[in-house]
C-alpha cells in the first residue's frame, strides 16, 4: 500500500514540514557522526569539539572535515529524498532526476561557469565593502567575526599538498554541496515557493535568497544569491536537476583546484583577483554579457524541456 498521508499538502504546510524534517535529519546525523567519530578520533577530541580553535592542528582539521561530510548528508542530501517520497511518492520525478542532460548543455554550462568568475568577483568585492549604520555596529562586528571565522575554516580545509587531499576536498566541497544543495534548494524549496507564488521567477529568487542566507557569510551574500538564481533558471529551462548540479560542481571545483595550485606554487595568486580590482569594470561587464549570451544558448538548446510544475 502506498504512503499518501502527506500528499496534497499546501505549499505553506510543505515548507513547515520540510523545515522539521531537515532539522531532525541534521540532529540525527550529527549525533551519529559524533558517535562514529569517537573510535576514529578519540573521545577527548570529540568532547572538546565545540571549543576547537586551533586550525593549525591536522587532527582538528580532520575531525572538522569528517563532521562537515556528515553534515552535508544530514542537512542537504537525505532530506530531499525523504521529502520527495512523502510529498509525491516518486523521488526521481519529484527531484527532476529522471531526465538526462544533453552534451551541448553540459559544455555550455562549464564554459559559462568559467566566464562568471570576473563578474561574480566584481560583485563580491562590492558586497565586501558593505557598511551598516553606526547603531548596528555590534551586529556588524558579529558579522565580520563570523565572516573571518568562515574564511579561516575554508582556508584550513583547502590547504593540502597531496593529490589525495585534493580529491577529498573536491568530494567535500564540490561533489556533496553540488548534489545536496541543489536537491534541497532547487529540487524541494524552489518547487514549494513556485507553487505557492504561482511563478517560477519568485520561486527561483526566494529559494536563492534562502540558499545564500544559509551560508551565513554576509559579505558574500549577493554573489552567492546570484549564483543561486542562475542555478534556478538552469533547472527551469532544462527540466533536469543535473544541469544546476553540474554548474554548482564546477563553480566549487574551480575554486578548490585553483587554491591547490596556488598553495603549491603552480598558479599565480593574481588569478583570484580577476574582476575584483578597482579597474575591473570592463572585465565584469564583458563577463556579464558573455554569461547572458551563454544562458540564452542554454535556454535555446533545451527548448521544449522546460518545467511546468506549478500545478503539480
Amino acid at each position: 500500500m502506498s504512503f499518501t498521508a502527506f500528499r496534497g499538502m499546501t505549499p505553506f504546510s510543505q515548507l513547515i514540514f520540510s523545515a522539521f524534517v531537515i532539522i531532525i535529519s541534521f540532529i540525527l546525523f550529527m549525533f551519529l557522526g559524533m558517535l562514529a567519530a569517537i573510535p576514529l578520533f578519540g573521545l577527548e577530541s570529540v568532547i572538546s569539539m565545540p571549543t576547537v580553535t586551533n586550525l593549525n592542528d591536522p587532527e582538528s582539521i580532520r575531525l572538522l572535515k569528517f563532521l562537515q561530510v556528515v553534515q552535508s548528508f544530514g542537512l542537504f542530501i537525505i532530506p530531499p529524498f525523504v521529502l520527495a517520497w512523502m510529498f509525491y511518492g516518486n523521488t526521481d520525478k519529484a527531484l527532476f532526476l529522471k531526465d538526462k542532460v544533453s552534451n551541448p548543455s553540459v559544455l555550455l554550462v562549464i564554459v559559462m561557469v568559467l566566464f562568471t568568475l570576473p563578474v561574480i568577483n566584481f560583485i563580491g568585492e562590492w558586497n565586501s565593502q558593505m557598511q551598516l549604520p553606526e547603531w548596528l555596529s555590534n551586529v556588524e562586528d558579529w558579522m565580520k567575526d563570523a565572516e573571518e571565522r568562515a574564511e579561516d575554516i575554508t582556508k584550513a580545509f583547502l590547504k593540502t599538498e597531496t593529490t589525495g587531499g585534493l580529491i577529498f576536498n573536491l568530494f567535500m566541497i564540490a561533489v556533496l554541496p553540488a548534489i545536496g544543495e541543489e536537491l534541497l534548494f532547487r529540487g524541494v524549496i524552489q518547487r514549494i515557493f513556485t507553487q505557492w507564488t504561482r511563478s517560477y521567477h519568485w520561486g527561483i529568487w526566494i529559494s536563492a535568497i534562502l540558499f545564500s542566507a544559509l551560508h551565513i557569510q554576509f559579505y558574500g551574500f549577493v554573489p552567492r544569491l546570484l549564483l543561486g538564481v542562475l542555478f534556478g533558471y538552469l533547472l527551469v529551462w532544462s527540466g533536469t536537476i543535473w544541469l544546476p548540479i553540474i554548474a554548482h560542481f564546477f563553480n566549487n571545483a574551480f575554486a578548490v583546484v585553483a587554491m591547490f595550485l596556488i598553495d603549491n606554487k603552480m598558479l599565480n595568486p593574481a588569478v583570484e583577483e580577476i574582476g575584483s580590482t578597482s579597474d575591473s569594470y570592463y572585465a565584469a561587464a564583458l563577463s556579464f554579457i558573455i554569461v547572458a549570451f551563454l544562458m540564452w544558448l542554454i535556454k535555446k538548446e533545451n527548448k521544449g524541456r522546460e518545467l511546468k510544475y506549478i500545478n503539480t
Side-chain angles (χ1 to χ4, degrees), residues 132 135-145 218-219:
L132 298 182
W135 59 277
L136 288 175
S137 59
N138 290 335
V139 175
E140 186 171 10
D141 290 340
W142 171 75
M143 289 167 57
K144 288 181 177 178
D145 288 342
F218 310 97
Y219 295 92

Side-chain angles (χ1 to χ4, degrees), residues 8-306:
M9 294 176 71
T10 65
F12 177 75
S13 298
Q14 286 185 338
L15 183 64
I16 298 302
F17 187 74
S18 295
F20 172 76
V21 169
I22 291 167
I23 292 170
I24 294 300
S25 176
F26 171 73
I27 293 173
L28 177 61
F29 268 78
M30 291 307 293
F31 174 73
L32 295 176
M34 288 290 190
L35 290 180
I38 293 175
L40 294 173
F41 301 96
L43 180 60
E44 184 177 349
S45 295
V46 175
I47 292 176
S48 62
M49 173 61 209
T51 59
V52 170
T53 57
N54 185 8
L55 296 178
N56 295 317
D57 178 16
E59 190 67 13
S60 295
I61 295 301
R62 282 193 288 270
L63 175 57
L64 288 171
K65 284 186 173 183
F66 171 79
L67 293 177
Q68 178 69 25
V69 170
V70 172
Q71 174 184 285
S72 293
F73 278 96
L75 194 58
F76 299 117
I77 294 179
I78 299 302
F81 286 101
V82 173
L83 293 168
W85 176 73
M86 297 180 82
F87 292 158
Y88 306 104
N90 186 325
T91 56
D92 286 350
K93 183 178 180 180
L95 295 174
F96 317 108
L97 291 163
K98 190 174 181 179
D99 294 334
K100 296 180 180 179
V101 62
S102 67
N103 291 334
S105 293
V106 173
L107 180 60
L108 286 170
V109 160
I110 295 172
V111 175
M112 182 197 65
V113 169
L114 273 173
F115 277 101
T116 61
L117 296 179
V119 66
I120 288 297
N121 287 345
F122 182 81
I123 296 171
E125 180 61 23
W126 166 79
N127 192 175
S128 69
Q129 305 302 317
M130 176 182 63
Q131 289 186 329
L132 298 182
E134 181 64 28
W135 59 277
L136 288 175
S137 59
N138 290 335
V139 175
E140 186 171 10
D141 290 340
W142 171 75
M143 289 167 57
K144 288 181 177 178
D145 288 342
E147 193 82 11
E148 290 173 2
R149 176 64 175 168
E151 184 177 352
D152 289 342
I153 293 175
T154 300
K155 287 181 178 179
F157 278 4
L158 290 175
K159 191 173 182 60
T160 181
E161 298 178 355
T162 66
T163 303
L166 172 62
I167 292 173
F168 183 83
N169 282 345
L170 285 171
F171 172 72
M172 177 180 67
I173 298 175
V175 175
L176 292 182
I179 295 173
E181 291 178 10
E182 292 311 305
L183 288 176
L184 180 61
F185 286 98
R186 255 57 69 180
V188 175
I189 296 176
Q190 181 172 307
R191 182 182 190 132
I192 289 174
F193 280 106
T194 294
Q195 294 176 331
W196 193 348
T197 63
R198 315 291 297 175
S199 166
Y200 70 80
H201 298 293
W202 277 112
I204 288 170
W205 281 90
I206 295 172
S207 61
I209 290 171
L210 295 175
F211 164 72
S212 187
L214 186 69
H215 289 78
I216 317 181
Q217 290 179 285
F218 310 97
Y219 295 92
F221 181 88
V222 177
R224 189 173 289 107
L225 161 65
L226 295 178
L227 283 173
V229 169
L230 186 149
F231 298 153
Y233 279 106
L234 287 178
L235 169 61
V236 170
W237 290 342
S238 69
T240 173
I241 197 74
W242 292 112
L243 206 57
I245 285 176
I246 290 168
H248 197 147
F249 168 78
F250 277 100
N251 178 73
N252 291 17
F254 287 149
V256 172
V257 173
M259 185 61 69
F260 175 80
L261 295 176
I262 290 171
D263 286 344
N264 289 277
K265 300 184 180 358
M266 292 184 281
L267 185 66
N268 191 330
V271 73
E272 290 187 293
E273 299 180 2
I274 295 176
S276 62
T277 58
S278 59
D279 58 347
S280 297
Y281 295 99
Y282 294 112
L286 181 61
S287 170
F288 176 81
I289 293 170
I290 293 174
V291 169
F293 175 67
L294 290 169
M295 286 291 287
W296 176 78
L297 289 178
I298 291 169
K299 184 178 181 180
K300 184 179 179 182
E301 168 66 23
N302 290 278
K303 187 173 179 59
R305 302 175 185 170
E306 301 90 345

